[in-house]
Amino acid sequence: MIHIRKAQREDAERVLAISAQIWDGNDYVPSTLADWLTNPAGELLVAEVDGTVVSFAYRTWLLPRHAWLQGIRTDPAYRGKGVGRTLSRALIDRSCQDGATRISLSTYFDNTPSIRIIESLGFERVASFVYLERTEKAPPLPATANPGIAEPTPEEVVQFVSVSPYLATAHGWYPFEWLFLPFAARPQAFLEKTPYRIGTRSNGGWRSLLCASPGREDGDAAFLSFLDGDPGDFAALLVQASRDLAATTWESMIPRCGEDVALALACLRRLGFTPWQDGREDVLCYDLIVSRLKGRSAA
Ligand SMILES: CC(C)(COP(=O)(O)OP(=O)(O)OC[C@H]1O[C@@H](n2cnc3c(N)ncnc32)[C@H](O)[C@@H]1OP(=O)(O)O)[C@@H](O)C(=O)NCCC(=O)NCCS
C-alpha cells in the first residue's frame, strides 16, 4: 500500500539517505532540500510503503499557474513497484488543485523509467537540448578582436530572441539550467533569469546576442541561456562574457531537434564546450496542458 503525503522536516534524513544512493552520491537534492522543505511556493511530497519513506518528488512554479516538477527519486530497493508513477500522479493532482493549468519537467534521454512515467501520464515532448559544459580543463578561449560589443535594451533583447532561429529550434522554450520556460508566456522572466546580455550591431539593428547568468555561488559555472546571430561573433561574445562574469567554467543547453540544430552548438564545441553524449539532443523537455487531461486521474 503506497501512502502519499506532504514531506515534514523529520523526513529529511530518509530523503537524504535515498538521495545518497542516486548517481553515485552526486545528486543535487542535498544542496536544495532545506529550501524544498521550507519554500511556501513549493511542495515536496513523499511516498511511504509500510510506514517507510521510499520516494519523494518536488513541485515548484515556473510562472503563475505553470508548475514545474523535478527531483523524483525512489529508493533503489523499492523501484519498479509503481511508487514513482503513483507519486507523480499525486503531484500532478495536487498541482491542479493548486491552480496549475500547465505542468512541465525535463529529463535525460536515457532515463527510461522516468520517460515511461511521464509519457504514460500524458506529458508530451516539446523541445530538446544538448547539454554542454566548459570545464577548467578546456583550452583557453582564443584572443579575439572586439567586433563592437554593446548592451542591447531589454526591449531589443526580447525582439531579437522572439524571432531567433535559436528559439524556433527550441520550439519556443528557453533553458535556465535544467529548467525550461516558454518564452512567449512571459518574456520578462527571460530577462530576470538572464541578467547579463551583450550583442553586436549592424545596419542599425542587432546582429548577434548572448544572454547568460553568473553562477549562483562562487565557483559555480556561469550559465549560457542564449547565443544566436552571426557565428563569427560568438567567440568574441563569449570571451567578453567570461571576463565580465569572471566565469572560469560554463554550462549551457543548446537547442537541437534532430537535424535542426542551433548555430551555437558547433561553435561552442570549437570553443572547448563538450557534450556528455556525442552532441545529439540529450535533455528532453516535456509539457502537459491540464485541460487536455480530461478523463484521466488529474482532470
Ligand atoms: C525514475 C524513478 C523515480 C522511477 O521510480 P519507480 O518507483 O521505480 O517507478 P515505477 O515503479 O512507477 O516505474 C516506472 C516505470 O519505469 C519502468 N522501469 C523501472 N525500472 C526500470 C529499468 N531499470 N529499466 C527500464 N524500465 C524501468 C517500470 O517498468 C515502469 O514502467 P511501466 O509501468 O510502463 O512498465 C527511479 O527510477 C529513480 O529514482 N531513478 C533515479 C533518479 C531519477 O532518474 N529521477 C528522474 C530524474 S528526471
PDB file of all heavy atoms in Angstrom, residues 36-63:
ATOM      1  N   TRP A  36      13.491  23.236  -0.286  1.00  0.00           N
ATOM      2  CA  TRP A  36      12.300  22.475  -0.646  1.00  0.00           C
ATOM      3  C   TRP A  36      11.366  22.282   0.559  1.00  0.00           C
ATOM      4  O   TRP A  36      10.153  22.266   0.422  1.00  0.00           O
ATOM      5  CB  TRP A  36      12.685  21.101  -1.197  1.00  0.00           C
ATOM      6  CG  TRP A  36      13.212  21.118  -2.594  1.00  0.00           C
ATOM      7  CD1 TRP A  36      13.460  22.220  -3.377  1.00  0.00           C
ATOM      8  CD2 TRP A  36      13.557  19.986  -3.387  1.00  0.00           C
ATOM      9  NE1 TRP A  36      13.947  21.821  -4.596  1.00  0.00           N
ATOM     10  CE2 TRP A  36      14.021  20.467  -4.631  1.00  0.00           C
ATOM     11  CE3 TRP A  36      13.544  18.610  -3.166  1.00  0.00           C
ATOM     12  CZ2 TRP A  36      14.444  19.605  -5.656  1.00  0.00           C
ATOM     13  CZ3 TRP A  36      13.965  17.751  -4.174  1.00  0.00           C
ATOM     14  CH2 TRP A  36      14.412  18.253  -5.412  1.00  0.00           C
ATOM     15  N   LEU A  37      11.951  22.104   1.741  1.00  0.00           N
ATOM     16  CA  LEU A  37      11.135  21.838   2.928  1.00  0.00           C
ATOM     17  C   LEU A  37      10.488  23.101   3.486  1.00  0.00           C
ATOM     18  O   LEU A  37       9.540  23.024   4.256  1.00  0.00           O
ATOM     19  CB  LEU A  37      11.993  21.185   4.015  1.00  0.00           C
ATOM     20  CG  LEU A  37      12.282  19.692   3.808  1.00  0.00           C
ATOM     21  CD1 LEU A  37      13.437  19.233   4.673  1.00  0.00           C
ATOM     22  CD2 LEU A  37      11.025  18.858   4.083  1.00  0.00           C
ATOM     23  N   THR A  38      11.010  24.254   3.107  1.00  0.00           N
ATOM     24  CA  THR A  38      10.515  25.490   3.729  1.00  0.00           C
ATOM     25  C   THR A  38       9.864  26.460   2.741  1.00  0.00           C
ATOM     26  O   THR A  38       9.132  27.346   3.169  1.00  0.00           O
ATOM     27  CB  THR A  38      11.671  26.235   4.422  1.00  0.00           C
ATOM     28  OG1 THR A  38      12.744  26.369   3.477  1.00  0.00           O
ATOM     29  CG2 THR A  38      12.170  25.469   5.641  1.00  0.00           C
ATOM     30  N   ASN A  39      10.148  26.317   1.464  1.00  0.00           N
ATOM     31  CA  ASN A  39       9.630  27.269   0.483  1.00  0.00           C
ATOM     32  C   ASN A  39       8.103  27.187   0.408  1.00  0.00           C
ATOM     33  O   ASN A  39       7.555  26.160  -0.004  1.00  0.00           O
ATOM     34  CB  ASN A  39      10.249  26.951  -0.890  1.00  0.00           C
ATOM     35  CG  ASN A  39       9.898  27.997  -1.918  1.00  0.00           C
ATOM     36  OD1 ASN A  39       8.984  28.788  -1.708  1.00  0.00           O
ATOM     37  ND2 ASN A  39      10.613  28.000  -3.025  1.00  0.00           N
ATOM     38  N   PRO A  40       7.390  28.256   0.767  1.00  0.00           N
ATOM     39  CA  PRO A  40       5.935  28.165   0.768  1.00  0.00           C
ATOM     40  C   PRO A  40       5.347  27.994  -0.633  1.00  0.00           C
ATOM     41  O   PRO A  40       4.223  27.516  -0.788  1.00  0.00           O
ATOM     42  CB  PRO A  40       5.489  29.499   1.390  1.00  0.00           C
ATOM     43  CG  PRO A  40       6.675  30.395   1.310  1.00  0.00           C
ATOM     44  CD  PRO A  40       7.894  29.553   1.219  1.00  0.00           C
ATOM     45  N   ALA A  41       6.119  28.352  -1.665  1.00  0.00           N
ATOM     46  CA  ALA A  41       5.611  28.217  -3.034  1.00  0.00           C
ATOM     47  C   ALA A  41       5.855  26.813  -3.595  1.00  0.00           C
ATOM     48  O   ALA A  41       5.334  26.463  -4.653  1.00  0.00           O
ATOM     49  CB  ALA A  41       6.285  29.246  -3.939  1.00  0.00           C
ATOM     50  N   GLY A  42       6.641  26.018  -2.887  1.00  0.00           N
ATOM     51  CA  GLY A  42       6.962  24.690  -3.399  1.00  0.00           C
ATOM     52  C   GLY A  42       6.184  23.613  -2.673  1.00  0.00           C
ATOM     53  O   GLY A  42       5.504  23.879  -1.673  1.00  0.00           O
ATOM     54  N   GLU A  43       6.253  22.397  -3.191  1.00  0.00           N
ATOM     55  CA  GLU A  43       5.629  21.271  -2.497  1.00  0.00           C
ATOM     56  C   GLU A  43       6.488  20.026  -2.688  1.00  0.00           C
ATOM     57  O   GLU A  43       6.719  19.580  -3.810  1.00  0.00           O
ATOM     58  CB  GLU A  43       4.222  21.010  -3.031  1.00  0.00           C
ATOM     59  CG  GLU A  43       3.600  19.817  -2.330  1.00  0.00           C
ATOM     60  CD  GLU A  43       2.104  19.931  -2.177  1.00  0.00           C
ATOM     61  OE1 GLU A  43       1.401  19.767  -3.191  1.00  0.00           O
ATOM     62  OE2 GLU A  43       1.637  20.201  -1.060  1.00  0.00           O
ATOM     63  N   LEU A  44       6.936  19.500  -1.541  1.00  0.00           N
ATOM     64  CA  LEU A  44       7.703  18.256  -1.556  1.00  0.00           C
ATOM     65  C   LEU A  44       6.799  17.151  -1.020  1.00  0.00           C
ATOM     66  O   LEU A  44       6.322  17.230   0.114  1.00  0.00           O
ATOM     67  CB  LEU A  44       8.954  18.410  -0.671  1.00  0.00           C
ATOM     68  CG  LEU A  44       9.867  17.187  -0.558  1.00  0.00           C
ATOM     69  CD1 LEU A  44      10.467  16.817  -1.918  1.00  0.00           C
ATOM     70  CD2 LEU A  44      10.990  17.443   0.444  1.00  0.00           C
ATOM     71  N   LEU A  45       6.564  16.145  -1.863  1.00  0.00           N
ATOM     72  CA  LEU A  45       5.748  15.007  -1.433  1.00  0.00           C
ATOM     73  C   LEU A  45       6.636  13.797  -1.210  1.00  0.00           C
ATOM     74  O   LEU A  45       7.660  13.630  -1.887  1.00  0.00           O
ATOM     75  CB  LEU A  45       4.706  14.650  -2.502  1.00  0.00           C
ATOM     76  CG  LEU A  45       3.603  15.664  -2.812  1.00  0.00           C
ATOM     77  CD1 LEU A  45       2.614  15.076  -3.815  1.00  0.00           C
ATOM     78  CD2 LEU A  45       2.882  16.110  -1.535  1.00  0.00           C
ATOM     79  N   VAL A  46       6.226  12.956  -0.269  1.00  0.00           N
ATOM     80  CA  VAL A  46       6.927  11.685  -0.081  1.00  0.00           C
ATOM     81  C   VAL A  46       5.926  10.549  -0.240  1.00  0.00           C
ATOM     82  O   VAL A  46       4.723  10.727  -0.019  1.00  0.00           O
ATOM     83  CB  VAL A  46       7.605  11.582   1.317  1.00  0.00           C
ATOM     84  CG1 VAL A  46       8.732  12.580   1.441  1.00  0.00           C
ATOM     85  CG2 VAL A  46       6.591  11.738   2.448  1.00  0.00           C
ATOM     86  N   ALA A  47       6.439   9.383  -0.642  1.00  0.00           N
ATOM     87  CA  ALA A  47       5.623   8.173  -0.716  1.00  0.00           C
ATOM     88  C   ALA A  47       6.135   7.208   0.339  1.00  0.00           C
ATOM     89  O   ALA A  47       7.342   6.975   0.439  1.00  0.00           O
ATOM     90  CB  ALA A  47       5.736   7.548  -2.104  1.00  0.00           C
ATOM     91  N   GLU A  48       5.189   6.672   1.108  1.00  0.00           N
ATOM     92  CA  GLU A  48       5.549   5.690   2.139  1.00  0.00           C
ATOM     93  C   GLU A  48       5.035   4.312   1.737  1.00  0.00           C
ATOM     94  O   GLU A  48       3.927   4.189   1.205  1.00  0.00           O
ATOM     95  CB  GLU A  48       4.878   6.033   3.467  1.00  0.00           C
ATOM     96  CG  GLU A  48       5.457   7.216   4.194  1.00  0.00           C
ATOM     97  CD  GLU A  48       4.712   7.461   5.517  1.00  0.00           C
ATOM     98  OE1 GLU A  48       3.583   6.954   5.693  1.00  0.00           O
ATOM     99  OE2 GLU A  48       5.271   8.159   6.350  1.00  0.00           O
ATOM    100  N   VAL A  49       5.829   3.313   2.043  1.00  0.00           N
ATOM    101  CA  VAL A  49       5.370   1.930   1.923  1.00  0.00           C
ATOM    102  C   VAL A  49       5.594   1.300   3.292  1.00  0.00           C
ATOM    103  O   VAL A  49       6.731   1.344   3.813  1.00  0.00           O
ATOM    104  CB  VAL A  49       6.144   1.165   0.826  1.00  0.00           C
ATOM    105  CG1 VAL A  49       5.808  -0.322   0.868  1.00  0.00           C
ATOM    106  CG2 VAL A  49       5.827   1.732  -0.557  1.00  0.00           C
ATOM    107  N   ASP A  50       4.549   0.782   3.873  1.00  0.00           N
ATOM    108  CA  ASP A  50       4.614   0.204   5.228  1.00  0.00           C
ATOM    109  C   ASP A  50       5.274   1.169   6.219  1.00  0.00           C
ATOM    110  O   ASP A  50       6.136   0.772   7.014  1.00  0.00           O
ATOM    111  CB  ASP A  50       5.374  -1.135   5.213  1.00  0.00           C
ATOM    112  CG  ASP A  50       4.681  -2.164   4.339  1.00  0.00           C
ATOM    113  OD1 ASP A  50       3.440  -2.086   4.209  1.00  0.00           O
ATOM    114  OD2 ASP A  50       5.375  -3.017   3.758  1.00  0.00           O
ATOM    115  N   GLY A  51       4.918   2.440   6.095  1.00  0.00           N
ATOM    116  CA  GLY A  51       5.405   3.428   7.061  1.00  0.00           C
ATOM    117  C   GLY A  51       6.814   3.928   6.808  1.00  0.00           C
ATOM    118  O   GLY A  51       7.317   4.774   7.554  1.00  0.00           O
ATOM    119  N   THR A  52       7.465   3.440   5.763  1.00  0.00           N
ATOM    120  CA  THR A  52       8.822   3.912   5.451  1.00  0.00           C
ATOM    121  C   THR A  52       8.789   4.807   4.219  1.00  0.00           C
ATOM    122  O   THR A  52       8.168   4.449   3.201  1.00  0.00           O
ATOM    123  CB  THR A  52       9.748   2.708   5.143  1.00  0.00           C
ATOM    124  OG1 THR A  52       9.763   1.865   6.286  1.00  0.00           O
ATOM    125  CG2 THR A  52      11.164   3.155   4.814  1.00  0.00           C
ATOM    126  N   VAL A  53       9.458   5.951   4.294  1.00  0.00           N
ATOM    127  CA  VAL A  53       9.549   6.836   3.126  1.00  0.00           C
ATOM    128  C   VAL A  53      10.472   6.177   2.096  1.00  0.00           C
ATOM    129  O   VAL A  53      11.635   5.875   2.404  1.00  0.00           O
ATOM    130  CB  VAL A  53      10.090   8.223   3.533  1.00  0.00           C
ATOM    131  CG1 VAL A  53      10.402   9.055   2.300  1.00  0.00           C
ATOM    132  CG2 VAL A  53       9.075   8.947   4.415  1.00  0.00           C
ATOM    133  N   VAL A  54       9.931   5.928   0.902  1.00  0.00           N
ATOM    134  CA  VAL A  54      10.730   5.235  -0.119  1.00  0.00           C
ATOM    135  C   VAL A  54      10.906   6.078  -1.387  1.00  0.00           C
ATOM    136  O   VAL A  54      11.654   5.687  -2.292  1.00  0.00           O
ATOM    137  CB  VAL A  54      10.120   3.869  -0.496  1.00  0.00           C
ATOM    138  CG1 VAL A  54      10.018   2.972   0.730  1.00  0.00           C
ATOM    139  CG2 VAL A  54       8.761   4.025  -1.166  1.00  0.00           C
ATOM    140  N   SER A  55      10.215   7.204  -1.465  1.00  0.00           N
ATOM    141  CA  SER A  55      10.289   8.005  -2.691  1.00  0.00           C
ATOM    142  C   SER A  55       9.882   9.443  -2.371  1.00  0.00           C
ATOM    143  O   SER A  55       9.155   9.696  -1.409  1.00  0.00           O
ATOM    144  CB  SER A  55       9.326   7.400  -3.728  1.00  0.00           C
ATOM    145  OG  SER A  55       9.460   8.015  -4.984  1.00  0.00           O
ATOM    146  N   PHE A  56      10.364  10.384  -3.165  1.00  0.00           N
ATOM    147  CA  PHE A  56       9.962  11.778  -2.990  1.00  0.00           C
ATOM    148  C   PHE A  56      10.025  12.504  -4.336  1.00  0.00           C
ATOM    149  O   PHE A  56      10.693  12.037  -5.280  1.00  0.00           O
ATOM    150  CB  PHE A  56      10.842  12.506  -1.952  1.00  0.00           C
ATOM    151  CG  PHE A  56      12.305  12.528  -2.292  1.00  0.00           C
ATOM    152  CD1 PHE A  56      12.843  13.570  -3.054  1.00  0.00           C
ATOM    153  CD2 PHE A  56      13.156  11.529  -1.862  1.00  0.00           C
ATOM    154  CE1 PHE A  56      14.187  13.609  -3.376  1.00  0.00           C
ATOM    155  CE2 PHE A  56      14.508  11.552  -2.176  1.00  0.00           C
ATOM    156  CZ  PHE A  56      15.031  12.586  -2.935  1.00  0.00           C
ATOM    157  N   ALA A  57       9.335  13.630  -4.425  1.00  0.00           N
ATOM    158  CA  ALA A  57       9.351  14.457  -5.650  1.00  0.00           C
ATOM    159  C   ALA A  57       8.909  15.863  -5.276  1.00  0.00           C
ATOM    160  O   ALA A  57       8.167  16.059  -4.302  1.00  0.00           O
ATOM    161  CB  ALA A  57       8.412  13.875  -6.708  1.00  0.00           C
ATOM    162  N   TYR A  58       9.343  16.836  -6.075  1.00  0.00           N
ATOM    163  CA  TYR A  58       9.123  18.245  -5.738  1.00  0.00           C
ATOM    164  C   TYR A  58       8.417  18.984  -6.864  1.00  0.00           C
ATOM    165  O   TYR A  58       8.656  18.719  -8.049  1.00  0.00           O
ATOM    166  CB  TYR A  58      10.478  18.899  -5.479  1.00  0.00           C
ATOM    167  CG  TYR A  58      10.402  20.326  -4.998  1.00  0.00           C
ATOM    168  CD1 TYR A  58       9.885  20.634  -3.750  1.00  0.00           C
ATOM    169  CD2 TYR A  58      10.861  21.367  -5.791  1.00  0.00           C
ATOM    170  CE1 TYR A  58       9.827  21.947  -3.294  1.00  0.00           C
ATOM    171  CE2 TYR A  58      10.818  22.689  -5.349  1.00  0.00           C
ATOM    172  CZ  TYR A  58      10.286  22.970  -4.093  1.00  0.00           C
ATOM    173  OH  TYR A  58      10.234  24.266  -3.654  1.00  0.00           O
ATOM    174  N   ARG A  59       7.545  19.916  -6.456  1.00  0.00           N
ATOM    175  CA  ARG A  59       6.900  20.807  -7.424  1.00  0.00           C
ATOM    176  C   ARG A  59       7.156  22.262  -7.047  1.00  0.00           C
ATOM    177  O   ARG A  59       7.079  22.636  -5.887  1.00  0.00           O
ATOM    178  CB  ARG A  59       5.382  20.578  -7.425  1.00  0.00           C
ATOM    179  CG  ARG A  59       4.685  21.354  -8.543  1.00  0.00           C
ATOM    180  CD  ARG A  59       3.435  22.078  -8.074  1.00  0.00           C
ATOM    181  NE  ARG A  59       3.722  23.148  -7.150  1.00  0.00           N
ATOM    182  CZ  ARG A  59       3.003  23.438  -6.073  1.00  0.00           C
ATOM    183  NH1 ARG A  59       1.969  22.712  -5.748  1.00  0.00           N
ATOM    184  NH2 ARG A  59       3.337  24.444  -5.277  1.00  0.00           N
ATOM    185  N   THR A  60       7.520  23.046  -8.063  1.00  0.00           N
ATOM    186  CA  THR A  60       7.620  24.482  -7.860  1.00  0.00           C
ATOM    187  C   THR A  60       6.831  25.159  -8.979  1.00  0.00           C
ATOM    188  O   THR A  60       6.194  24.480  -9.784  1.00  0.00           O
ATOM    189  CB  THR A  60       9.102  24.918  -7.833  1.00  0.00           C
ATOM    190  OG1 THR A  60       9.171  26.293  -7.524  1.00  0.00           O
ATOM    191  CG2 THR A  60       9.786  24.684  -9.174  1.00  0.00           C
ATOM    192  N   TRP A  61       6.833  26.487  -9.008  1.00  0.00           N
ATOM    193  CA  TRP A  61       6.115  27.198 -10.070  1.00  0.00           C
ATOM    194  C   TRP A  61       7.118  27.870 -11.002  1.00  0.00           C
ATOM    195  O   TRP A  61       8.022  28.570 -10.545  1.00  0.00           O
ATOM    196  CB  TRP A  61       5.180  28.265  -9.482  1.00  0.00           C
ATOM    197  CG  TRP A  61       4.100  27.676  -8.642  1.00  0.00           C
ATOM    198  CD1 TRP A  61       4.057  27.636  -7.272  1.00  0.00           C
ATOM    199  CD2 TRP A  61       2.914  27.001  -9.099  1.00  0.00           C
ATOM    200  NE1 TRP A  61       2.923  26.983  -6.851  1.00  0.00           N
ATOM    201  CE2 TRP A  61       2.200  26.591  -7.957  1.00  0.00           C
ATOM    202  CE3 TRP A  61       2.392  26.704 -10.355  1.00  0.00           C
ATOM    203  CZ2 TRP A  61       0.991  25.892  -8.035  1.00  0.00           C
ATOM    204  CZ3 TRP A  61       1.197  26.011 -10.433  1.00  0.00           C
ATOM    205  CH2 TRP A  61       0.511  25.618  -9.286  1.00  0.00           C
ATOM    206  N   LEU A  62       6.938  27.648 -12.298  1.00  0.00           N
ATOM    207  CA  LEU A  62       7.761  28.331 -13.305  1.00  0.00           C
ATOM    208  C   LEU A  62       7.242  29.735 -13.510  1.00  0.00           C
ATOM    209  O   LEU A  62       7.977  30.702 -13.612  1.00  0.00           O
ATOM    210  CB  LEU A  62       7.617  27.631 -14.663  1.00  0.00           C
ATOM    211  CG  LEU A  62       8.494  26.472 -15.047  1.00  0.00           C
ATOM    212  CD1 LEU A  62       8.221  26.129 -16.500  1.00  0.00           C
ATOM    213  CD2 LEU A  62       9.939  26.762 -14.816  1.00  0.00           C
ATOM    214  N   LEU A  63       5.922  29.805 -13.649  1.00  0.00           N
ATOM    215  CA  LEU A  63       5.180  31.035 -13.902  1.00  0.00           C
ATOM    216  C   LEU A  63       3.854  30.854 -13.174  1.00  0.00           C
ATOM    217  O   LEU A  63       3.513  29.725 -12.794  1.00  0.00           O
ATOM    218  CB  LEU A  63       4.916  31.184 -15.420  1.00  0.00           C
ATOM    219  CG  LEU A  63       6.143  31.288 -16.330  1.00  0.00           C
ATOM    220  CD1 LEU A  63       5.729  31.135 -17.789  1.00  0.00           C
ATOM    221  CD2 LEU A  63       6.847  32.626 -16.127  1.00  0.00           C
TER     222      LEU A  63
END
